[in-house]
Amino acid sequence: MPNDVSKGKGTKLFHQDIVQKVSSPDYRGIVLRCWHDAEDVPPAIYGVDPLMRPLAYGEAGVTFISHKGERQILPESELQLLDRTLQPGDYCKRSFDDVRAGVVTNIKVKGRIAHAVSAEKVDGWRTLKDVDDRADAEIGDYLVYDDWIGQLIEVFDESIVEVLAGQAGQLVRLPELGSRLTVGETGVDVLPPPASGTQSLFESPQRNNENKDVVVAVKHTVYAIAWLAVNQSLDVAVAENKLRPKRFWFGQDLGKLTLVRGLSDMELRVGDRIFLKDAKGLPMTTHGQAGDATGVLNVQTFRVNQTSTELDVLWQDGSKETIRSTEVIPYLNPDEYDCWPGDHVMWKNDGDTRPAIVQSVDAVQRTALILFPDTGAIELASLLELDAHGHSDHDPTNPTASPDGFGVRRGDFVLIHALGSSNGMRNPRVPRIGEIEPWVRENPFTDGEYSGWRKELQELGSAIAAKRSADFPQEKMIQRPAKGDGKISWCGEVTGLNLDGTVEVTHPDWTVMTYPLERLTRLYDGIEQLEEDAFDASDDGHSHGEDEETWAMDEDGIWRPEIQENDEWEDVSMQGIETEEIIEIDEVGDLMEVDNILPPSEATQTESMGSGPSGNALFHPLDAVVEVVEGQQDDPGEGIQWKRFEILSSAPPDHAFFSSSPALPSKSFLARLNKEYRALTSGLPDSILVRAYEDRTDLLRCLIIGPENTPYQDAPFVIDWMLDSNFPHSPPIAHFLSWTNGNGRVNPNLYEEGKVCLSILGTWTGDKHEVWSATRSSLLQAFVSIQGLVLVKEPWFCEPAYDKLRGTEEGTVNSRLYNEKAFVLSRGFVRRALEIPLGGLESEITYLYHTQGRLHKIMNDAELLIQKSKDSPDIGPGDQDLAVPRLTAGGTIALERILTKLRNYIQATPS
């Protein structure tokens, strides 16, 4: 979709919004797709489902529940927002350009209902207190049995469907795997064609195309439960003897289970089928014929058609408000430093880390009042010095704790440890448990038929259905917790975060207790795990495999299947053309085109290989290249004067891949390396240095200086590289030396643990012309791509899902905050490079920042920016195009700490 510069404030509808057509108010539905959804490619089933075509800006995909699930994509201007679905723990804002955000602490929902079959409306609003809680457990619900908590992942249903034949209706019992049908659904295709395993259970009536099937009852008869965790308050010896319960539950055994629902899951939602505690005098329908095997069925099931949601919101500054959900918008892309009162965070500065609890946040100035529990002191801190989540890519103090975050959030389900015991983690970390068993992840189909546990579930459900049709076996209802019974006090839902660091937990019996953080362990939601599996399977972040066909553009500009040659970079159309580089950089520093990085002639290639003893193959083939390098870099250009490419005698011990075992390079590897070196010799810009090593031909190190008018300006970015034995058929392996001290990524593509996320490196999916190709790609292209495509003026938009937000107020606000973070962190990179000598680049760092005066420039620029930010916080017209026009108070605090350290290195500047 082309970028629309007229986007303005952004779209007004979001996923799960309840809307109606402006022209036809009786059309009410749920937004299932919106422009904000992260979709890189059109859905594969576009053309089959009318909701699945690519969305244009200002469009939304809606399922109209009031009209039998009709699905349409419509302009937002034709839709009116009725209600907005938010849950406790969700973030929200008043508007896109509002920096202050809130967290939902509680919701209250009221709804209008109608009979699920006849659609006859019922006057007035209904709330949760009017609902009879006798519905079945649904997929995703938690269930408790014998000190185990599990999650319902699949059901076997028996639905009763009325098939109209003339004026009379015939009831048919339909058993099937999965929760496909709900009461009130109609259509000519509700009953599937008789199939193996089901045809003996009901007799299909005579039908014609005008007959409509009507679902009049649905019952879950068999439950498949994934048991996640055992009661953590038990003595270890007792817990070890608690055997994991069985997978499948039905019949009398259902009465042994206790249903535990989240508080928000109990609230009314549009489309829910409910029963009322008092339905006297309300609509009822009758189905079936007297004398039939199924008999006559009276239905008094109701469908929720409309809701109105009221939110309790805690704003970052500590103020609280009760507000209609339609008066806020979802905060979909929170800043990584965002936090709220009661949140557990880690304050990090200069290697010092201390746990703290947020008291209040000034989102505009990016500062927070935080409580240090060890001293009781409350201090002002920059948000840029707070780790609010504990999900940094690399935690050297606790490398095994990456799945575990800091503290808990409202809506989290937790297990309670016994008084006097703990979760075993150091505050503010909270572990999570509940990894689902391997059987849950089994492939559902084999040769078009159910397989594994699903096949077992289908067979079990079908057998029960056959028995039911004969003797109607008795079943027990799943239990519900009684208020205050205290039977399940070892688990609950987080409903509040207190300013002293304690956590409010509401137990299944609705009692509310307060616990210290160390007595809590989060339950890892099983459905969430399966969704993560599906996401990982659909997009593993890697490029096409070696066996996949790749395409390249020929000399006529036509894309053709790429032919893999034994000797890469061989193309007769290139013979006799001098090596040159065409690199075009636009005014914001983005790389526009890299082309014509050509290899040397065949004669030079042969000569440079040499013919020394095989034992010296790691060294001698480079001699000719060294001479060329030294001969071609006498005049490196204006500004910076240094050798952009150089081959050193040995790799430094601080290289990320120094401890790896090098494979003996092949002749073809060294030949390709020779060509790569020649391209680097003449093609590197002044702001990129590359060092290779005689003793380790598989390793390189590059230093990239941040481009002008980006948040990375003048900062050093060091990436270590390794070429495996399959190079160039596989891309080079990169490791970014992140010097953020656990304060977050300096760039979306540069991870704290060292990953460089880029298509050409095979660490991100891309078009076929973007991924690494042995015949089209080069090391030079990879280095320049990082400088031109990663270290850019607006790095926040490097995330694919965010690029479409260019031109919106949401994108502008988030990009500005990200740029400030990137600028401050990258000033810390300067300090790190000066503080700890960088193997093989010591003299270059000294030259750049001392001899060439770049450190003075960095200091002057930073001090001027701080002064401008204090004198005139508003951005003037002349500063609109600057990457970092102003700093918040929080940004200033963090930057001034770094400048204090950098001033010490000014003294080391040679006179």
Side-chain angles (χ1 to χ4, degrees), residues 229-251:
V230 72
N231 181 351
Q232 296 296 292
S233 68
L234 297 175
D235 182 84
V236 174
V238 175
E240 288 177 346
N241 290 321
K242 290 286 183 179
L243 299 179
R244 190 181 296 270
K246 59 184 180 181
R247 301 178 189 176
F248 303 123
W249 291 75
F250 55 90

Side-chain angles (χ1 to χ4, degrees), residues 682-698:
S682 60
L684 286 169
D686 290 338
S687 52
I688 299 180
L689 273 70
V690 177
R691 296 295 178 258
Y693 311 103
E694 291 184 2
D695 68 334
R696 289 294 300 272
T697 55
D698 60 326

Side-chain angles (χ1 to χ4, degrees), residues 790-843:
V790 175
L791 303 178
V792 294
K793 182 180 178 181
E794 295 180 298
W796 188 78
F797 296 109
C798 287
E799 289 283 6
Y802 297 164
D803 184 62
K804 65 181 177 182
L805 295 175
R806 289 183 187 271
T808 67
E809 289 185 351
E810 179 183 4
T812 300
V813 169
N814 286 324
S815 179
R816 176 176 61 80
L817 294 176
Y818 198 97
N819 275 19
E820 178 184 65
K821 181 271 293 271
F823 178 78
V824 172
L825 289 180
S826 61
R827 301 312 94 184
F829 279 33
V830 179
R831 176 198 166 191
R832 168 59 176 76
L834 293 170
E835 188 175 63
I836 302 176
L838 194 62
L841 292 172
E842 299 92 339
S843 60

Side-chain angles (χ1 to χ4, degrees), residues 223-393:
Y223 293 81
I225 302 174
W227 296 100
L228 299 174
V230 72
N231 181 351
Q232 296 296 292
S233 68
L234 297 175
D235 182 84
V236 174
V238 175
E240 288 177 346
N241 290 321
K242 290 286 183 179
L243 299 179
R244 190 181 296 270
K246 59 184 180 181
R247 301 178 189 176
F248 303 123
W249 291 75
F250 55 90
Q252 295 285 327
D253 285 348
L254 293 178
K256 302 175 184 178
L257 300 173
T258 301
L259 174 62
V260 177
R261 278 199 175 113
L263 298 181
S264 61
D265 293 334
M266 300 179 189
E267 291 287 356
L268 302 180
R269 293 172 294 187
V270 169
D272 280 354
R273 268 58 171 180
I274 62 172
F275 301 98
L276 297 180
K277 293 177 180 177
D278 182 9
K280 185 177 180 180
L282 297 183
M284 181 173 65
T285 57
T286 301
H287 307 270
Q289 304 175 41
D292 284 353
T294 309
V296 176
L297 183 66
N298 294 323
V299 175
Q300 213 167 19
T301 305
F302 299 92
R303 180 182 65 196
V304 179
N305 282 345
Q306 184 181 347
T307 57
S308 177
T309 303
E310 191 176 74
L311 309 174
D312 291 335
V313 178
L314 172 65
W315 298 102
Q316 287 175 298
D317 59 9
S319 62
K320 299 178 181 179
E321 186 175 10
T322 299
I323 189 173
R324 277 288 310 276
S325 64
T326 52
E327 296 181 50
V328 297
I329 61 173
Y331 186 18
L332 300 176
N333 303 307
D335 184 78
E336 62 184 310
Y337 298 107
D338 274 326
C339 48
W340 284 262
D343 284 355
H344 287 259
V345 299
M346 189 71 80
W347 178 78
K348 298 180 178 181
N349 178 55
D350 198 20
D352 183 19
T353 61
R354 296 174 65 188
I357 298 116
V358 176
Q359 306 296 292
S360 65
V361 175
D362 184 336
V364 175
Q365 294 301 326
R366 297 186 99 179
T367 60
L369 288 175
I370 57 175
L371 167 68
F372 291 109
D374 54 348
T375 64
I378 295 178
E379 298 182 10
L380 182 70
S382 167
L383 291 184
L384 274 66
E385 297 175 338
L386 300 182
D387 183 352
H389 308 289
H391 291 300
S392 61
D393 300 314

Side-chain angles (χ1 to χ4, degrees), residues 652-850:
D654 64 351
H655 194 286
F657 301 106
F658 183 80
S659 60
S660 64
S661 299
L664 189 66
S666 65
K667 205 169 185 180
S668 61
F669 175 92
L670 291 173
R672 173 58 179 260
L673 198 62
N674 180 20
K675 304 172 190 178
E676 296 278 3
Y677 285 178
R678 288 180 176 273
L680 293 172
T681 297
S682 60
L684 286 169
D686 290 338
S687 52
I688 299 180
L689 273 70
V690 177
R691 296 295 178 258
Y693 311 103
E694 291 184 2
D695 68 334
R696 289 294 300 272
T697 55
D698 60 326
L699 304 184
L700 298 101
R701 168 170 283 177
C702 75
L703 168 65
I704 302 174
I705 306 304
E708 291 290 314
N709 198 25
T710 71
Y712 310 111
Q713 181 173 316
D714 299 319
F717 292 82
V718 180
I719 302 176
D720 286 342
W721 302 81
M722 181 174 69
L723 312 178
D724 65 19
S725 59
N726 197 42
F727 180 82
H729 297 291
S730 59
I733 303 168
H735 181 92
F736 169 61
L737 303 189
S738 178
W739 296 325
T740 60
N741 296 316
N743 282 96
R745 297 183 202 172
V746 73
N747 182 281
N749 298 78
L750 303 175
Y751 289 42
E752 287 187 272
E753 38 77 343
K755 179 181 177 181
V756 179
C757 197
L758 205 61
S759 299
I760 195 173
L761 301 182
T763 49
W764 182 254
T765 53
D767 295 336
K768 291 187 175 182
H769 65 283
E770 295 175 345
V771 300
W772 179 268
S773 164
T775 57
R776 291 184 288 105
S777 306
S778 68
L779 294 175
L780 174 61
Q781 183 184 357
F783 301 156
V784 177
S785 293
I786 292 172
Q787 185 183 61
L789 299 177
V790 175
L791 303 178
V792 294
K793 182 180 178 181
E794 295 180 298
W796 188 78
F797 296 109
C798 287
E799 289 283 6
Y802 297 164
D803 184 62
K804 65 181 177 182
L805 295 175
R806 289 183 187 271
T808 67
E809 289 185 351
E810 179 183 4
T812 300
V813 169
N814 286 324
S815 179
R816 176 176 61 80
L817 294 176
Y818 198 97
N819 275 19
E820 178 184 65
K821 181 271 293 271
F823 178 78
V824 172
L825 289 180
S826 61
R827 301 312 94 184
F829 279 33
V830 179
R831 176 198 166 191
R832 168 59 176 76
L834 293 170
E835 188 175 63
I836 302 176
L838 194 62
L841 292 172
E842 299 92 339
S843 60
E844 286 81 358
I845 293 295
T846 298
Y847 167 76
L848 177 66
Y849 291 107
H850 292 317

Side-chain angles (χ1 to χ4, degrees), residues 488-505:
I488 307 177
S489 59
W490 49 272
C491 62
E493 180 181 346
V494 175
T495 50
L497 304 177
N498 302 319
L499 295 182
D500 63 356
T502 58
V503 179
E504 176 188 285
V505 176

